[in-house]
Amino acid sequence: MNKLKNDTFLRALLRQPTEHTPIWLMRQAGRYLPEYCETRRRAGNFMNLCKNPRLACEVTLQPLARYDLDAAILFSDILTVPDAMGLGLYFAEGEGPKFERPLREEWEIRNLSVPDPGVELRYVIDAVAEIRRALDNSVPLIGFSGSPFTLACYMIEGGASEDFRSIKSMLYDRPDLLHHVLEVNTNAVTAYLNAQIEAGAQAVMIFDTWGGALSNRAYKAFSLAYMQRIVEGLRREHGGARIPSIVFTKGGGQWLEDIAAIGCDAVGLDWTTDIGAARRRVGDKVALQGNLDPVALFAQPEKIAQEARTILDAYGPGSGHVFNLGHGISQFTPPEHVAALVNAVHEHSRKQRQI
Ligand code: CP3
């Protein structure tokens, strides 16, 4: 039974008719919001915020209090999974995420094990349940995870990387070792997403931020094949409701048909792909999510509204579109500009349906 007050997001993912095009934004709870910075200051640091379900719930709800968004996304990070595997995640100021114990030696890789989401990731599962209670069936809650390959990038590089030299050296020299890491990650992500679903996540998204850095053949063998196994292993239903899945490969525009074929309900698009052309390519196989350039949010509100209308018109009539950015929102985005985007998407998409 679906007693959500606003289920446009879930219906759009299943390509069912909606009264407007739903919108949410990747990284919608984050540093561009002064109230987020205030809560993070109280928590001490980002990881304390993630590990405290009450504070994670508080920041999840902050963007929904400001804007008429159609979905909430669990406040957490993709790197909680390798942290739970014992790699020691920390955030060096201004340098992004880092691991104290990146995977360097073969024995470290052979020793990797799948964390129990009910134990090492209990704080995330508790946050999901707490957020669901606080949302009180207003909008659906999205659960998420990193893709096995994107997680492996951070686990092997030890942090952000410009050229992915360590992981790609392993890919070419020791594909067996990389496949072993990806295998463990696949089992970890599948169990983690299913635990989020059981705790109340109503849709799930896999973030493959770095799959687009791979060659064509490597993408299929080292990223897409593992995401397919996750999608095949996901719970499709919970509490009588379908649980749709979204797969997002940044830079994955050339592989849309392949991504659409793995069994997910929706494919995320970055801002470099024309959404109308993407729709013609995937047909009625999947819904599409995207794809405003996040940097367009620095333009004047009327220009932002115009860009939003262009994307809605390019997608065209009919359902199956979830509006989003093509990647996470910048921490320097003026918060008022987000309101202009959300309102423009709702207004214009309502008008489109009246024609
Ligand atoms: O979308 C949401 O609002 C939900 C929360 C969310 C965060 N990270 C919160 C966060 C989600 C879905 C993520 C995913 C994530 N994390 C990805 C995949 C999506 C993407 O952006 O490509 C990746 C690659 C990460 C790893 C990570 N975590 C990075 C690169 C950073 C930024 C580091 C920096 O200093 O810029 C983080 C930290 C992080 N995750 C922040 C937030 C709000 C900022 C941390 C802070 O408050 O200092």
Side-chain angles (χ1 to χ4, degrees):
M1 267 303 288
N2 213 337
K3 5 179 216 39
L4 275 162
K5 291 179 196 91
N6 174 0
D7 67 349
T8 49
F9 168 71
L10 296 177
R11 279 188 279 140
L13 289 176
L14 298 172
R15 288 169 294 113
Q16 295 166 1
T18 57
E19 302 72 44
H20 63 258
T21 300
I23 173 171
W24 70 280
L25 305 178
M26 289 190 261
R27 295 269 181 99
Q28 63 190 21
R31 287 172 291 187
Y32 73 106
L33 291 177
E35 57 271 34
Y36 168 84
C37 295
E38 171 54 27
T39 311
R40 195 182 74 147
R41 196 190 52 73
R42 267 197 284 135
N45 61 45
F46 174 71
M47 282 312 284
N48 288 348
L49 192 51
C50 289
K51 290 189 172 175
N52 181 322
R54 191 174 45 79
L55 295 180
C57 176
E58 183 179 309
V59 294
T60 299
L61 300 181
Q62 286 170 348
L64 296 148
R66 270 190 189 247
Y67 316 113
D68 193 12
L69 295 159
D70 296 287
I73 179 160
L74 160 71
F75 186 82
S76 190
D77 197 82
I78 62 167
L79 300 178
T80 54
V81 170
D83 183 59
M85 291 173 173
L87 273 66
L89 174 64
Y90 68 100
F91 283 82
E93 203 58 54
E95 286 180 71
K98 287 205 182 308
F99 284 110
E100 284 163 28
R101 293 171 290 281
L103 301 176
R104 290 279 143 80
E105 308 293 334
E106 179 158 356
W107 65 266
E108 293 171 312
I109 290 173
R110 298 285 171 210
N111 276 350
L112 268 185
S113 65
V114 174
D116 180 342
V119 180
E120 289 93 345
L121 291 159
R122 179 88 236 163
Y123 62 92
V124 180
I125 304 310
D126 288 344
V128 170
E130 182 145 348
I131 298 163
R132 269 302 299 278
R133 277 194 298 277
L135 282 171
D136 193 23
N137 286 315
S138 49
V139 292
L141 175 63
I142 307 165
F144 71 89
S145 171
S147 73
F149 179 74
T150 292
L151 295 178
C153 286
Y154 289 97
M155 293 161 75
I156 292 164
E157 299 291 338
S161 170
E162 292 212 333
D163 55 7
F164 302 99
R165 208 182 303 175
S166 305
I167 189 169
K168 286 191 177 181
S169 300
M170 191 185 290
L171 185 155
Y172 293 112
D173 282 335
R174 290 294 308 273
D176 60 311
L177 270 191
L178 182 55
H179 278 301
H180 180 73
V181 176
L182 296 169
E183 177 91 33
V184 176
N185 287 356
T186 297
N187 295 335
V189 166
T190 308
Y192 182 51
L193 288 177
N194 280 332
Q196 291 182 35
I197 292 169
E198 270 149 41
Q202 291 149 296
V204 291
M205 173 154 167
I206 302 171
F207 287 87
D208 185 29
T209 306
W210 301 122
L214 289 170
S215 72
N216 183 61
R217 266 195 308 158
Y219 173 72
K220 289 174 188 162
F222 291 89
S223 187
L224 190 62
Y226 290 96
M227 293 198 287
Q228 174 160 6
R229 279 179 41 191
I230 294 168
V231 170
E232 286 167 355
L234 286 179
R235 281 193 67 146
R236 288 281 152 147
E237 252 189 40
H238 185 247
R242 274 273 284 126
I243 308 293
S245 58
I246 310 163
V247 171
F248 171 59
T249 293
K250 183 164 167 272
Q254 64 171 315
W255 300 303
L256 286 184
E257 294 86 347
D258 305 287
I259 303 170
I262 70 171
C264 54
D265 297 285
V267 176
L269 298 178
D270 69 25
W271 66 93
T272 63
T273 302
D274 177 82
I275 196 166
R279 186 182 188 184
R280 290 188 287 279
R281 284 167 58 193
V282 300
D284 56 10
K285 232 180 156 115
V286 289
L288 293 174
Q289 176 173 278
N291 69 337
L292 181 71
D293 180 355
V295 184
L297 284 173
F298 290 95
Q300 291 311 304
E302 58 275 20
K303 294 294 194 316
I304 297 169
Q306 205 173 73
E307 283 298 312
R309 291 193 292 268
T310 303
I311 290 171
L312 290 166
D313 289 341
Y315 185 84
S319 64
H321 181 204
V322 171
F323 203 100
N324 205 315
L325 304 177
H327 196 209
I329 189 168
S330 156
Q331 62 171 306
F332 306 110
T333 306
E336 327 75 78
H337 288 196
V338 174
L341 173 65
V342 173
N343 296 336
V345 168
H346 284 162
E347 265 170 40
H348 188 68
S349 64
R350 281 195 186 103
K351 274 193 204 138
Q352 278 182 311
R353 282 158 177 76
Q354 282 155 15
I355 302 165

